[in-house]
Amino acid sequence: MSVETTPLVGIEAIRAAAAMLDGIATRTPLVPFGPPGERRYLKAESLQPIGAFKIRGAYVAVASLSPDERVRGVITYSSGNHAQGVARAARLLGTPAVVVMPSDSPAIKRERVALDGAEIIIVGTASDERQAVAERIAAERRLTIIPPYDDDRIIAGQGTVGLEIVEQCPEVEALPDLAAVLVPIGGGGLASGVAAAVRALAPGARVIGTEPELAADARESLAAGTIVRWAAQDVSRTIADGTRTQALGRRTFAHLAALLDSIVTVTEAEIAAAVRLAAEESRLVVEPSGALTVAALAFRSAEAGLVGLHGPIVAVVSGGNVDPERYVDFLRAPLPPRA
């Protein structure tokens, strides 16, 4: 793989994205988690209009297109939340949208994409397959592809989460210096943007990525110093459907390699338990992908380097789009010992 030389997304691009999102994305709250003395918070992106952070990057990308590109339409490929983001952004901007989704995406996510008027095309479970189908259809219909993560507009939009976290800490803490942020990793767009914002505005804070053990391609990639691709059948094992991406992109790899302090992984049992803990301790409905950071906060604090930190620690809860039948099962999940 050749060395990425394009500059990383900077704080000015993230601030510009925030201005574009004014009135579109919700400035989600920092919700306390655990005993008050521990100063731990969840950044509740599950409270976005589409139930996930993806509206941020998707809207910035679609709004950045030329008038002619918007008239022709957009296409994307996604397991669910980015699909919803693009469908909603396209509807708000009057742009036709096509979404290529895998057959194992949650029904609730497919239904919500359809409600925003997007055309849905179902393919197999491999992320490579849905990207290839989207690229073919884009060429045939002259549609503009809105990538799910490996795009600087997407990274800047997702980076507004990190911008808000730094701005909100003085609102919830008498001693506002941010100690650490935990952020989930699928394709890496959210983690890239959040890390870029936090590094610029709170350089002393730790930025820790979180992945499922069963889909830990990002951790392996950073350890190897190059992008490592996992097989579709391997990443499909995790209940965290939003992180079943087979590999990072070139841009997200460059950002994560430069900006993350570390990546910790969590087990399937810990993810399920974290869905329950978010409900019990913070009154938040969280999907498994969104619960990755909650699992790290609850069960992997030492591994994440959080022990002994004195400032606020914020875990980004990326989404809350979970099928009700599955959610009931998660609420009964056994709780492993807390870290």
Side-chain angles (χ1 to χ4, degrees):
M1 183 186 72
S2 60
V3 176
E4 180 67 53
T5 58
T6 305
L8 302 181
V9 171
I11 191 61
E12 292 310 313
I14 295 171
R15 291 192 190 279
M20 295 177 69
L21 289 167
D22 186 29
I24 301 298
T26 299
R27 184 181 173 88
T28 54
L30 299 184
V31 181
F33 176 79
E38 292 186 357
R39 308 172 71 189
R40 298 182 173 195
Y41 299 88
L42 306 184
K43 175 65 168 167
E45 286 295 288
S46 52
L47 300 180
Q48 287 293 346
I50 64 164
F53 74 97
K54 290 284 193 175
I55 185 61
R56 297 175 183 266
Y59 187 88
V60 170
V62 177
S64 300
L65 300 178
S66 69
D68 183 59
E69 288 172 322
R70 286 196 215 169
V71 168
R72 289 201 306 267
V74 297
I75 187 169
T76 195
Y77 43 96
S78 166
S79 63
N81 284 335
H82 179 66
Q84 291 183 82
V86 171
R88 178 63 56 85
R91 181 173 67 78
L92 292 174
L93 293 163
T95 301
V98 180
V99 177
V100 181
M101 301 184 73
S103 57
D104 61 351
S105 59
I108 192 170
K109 296 182 179 181
R110 295 196 302 271
E111 292 165 2
R112 290 176 178 173
V113 169
L115 286 174
D116 269 316
E119 176 187 349
I120 300 174
I121 297 172
I122 300 297
V123 297
T125 60
S127 58
D128 288 350
E129 179 186 0
R130 56 183 178 267
Q131 179 176 349
V133 170
E135 290 172 347
R136 175 178 57 79
I137 295 172
E140 293 170 353
R141 301 193 197 178
R142 300 181 63 225
L143 304 175
T144 299
I145 295 176
I146 306 297
Y149 51 87
D150 203 37
D151 182 287
D152 283 8
R153 299 164 301 178
I154 299 290
I155 292 171
Q158 321 304 30
T160 60
V161 175
L163 176 65
E164 290 177 13
I165 288 171
V166 176
E167 291 175 346
Q168 288 171 307
C169 278
E171 300 170 9
V172 299
E173 285 283 343
L175 298 173
D177 290 341
L178 180 66
V181 176
L182 293 93
V183 59
I185 301 176
L190 175 62
S192 295
V194 168
V198 172
R199 284 280 174 257
L201 300 174
R206 291 179 55 79
V207 184
I208 301 117
T210 310
E211 282 188 300
E213 283 187 353
L214 299 184
D217 60 282
R219 186 179 68 167
E220 186 174 346
S221 295
L222 295 194
T226 189
I227 297 174
V228 176
R229 179 172 298 275
W230 281 34
Q233 61 266 30
D234 290 335
V235 297
S236 295
R237 296 173 298 169
T238 180
I239 57 175
D241 63 276
T243 65
R244 291 173 184 163
T245 308
Q246 292 173 248
L248 297 172
R250 291 171 61 91
R251 293 298 289 155
T252 55
F253 176 80
H255 282 76
L256 300 188
L259 301 174
L260 279 191
D261 285 292
S262 63
I263 296 177
V264 297
T265 61
V266 292
T267 67
E268 298 297 287
E270 289 167 343
I271 296 169
V275 173
R276 173 180 168 180
L277 287 175
E280 292 179 348
E281 300 192 7
S282 298
R283 304 300 183 263
L284 291 175
V285 175
V286 176
E287 64 185 271
S289 301
L292 293 177
T293 56
V294 183
L297 202 57
F299 307 117
R300 302 286 175 142
S301 285
E303 183 181 343
L306 304 180
V307 177
L309 297 182
H310 298 295
I313 298 169
V314 178
V316 178
V317 170
S318 57
N321 294 310
V322 56
D323 286 333
E325 296 82 2
R326 294 296 310 279
Y327 187 68
V328 171
D329 293 335
F330 293 135
L331 294 180
R332 302 190 184 103
L335 297 178
R338 301 284 279 267

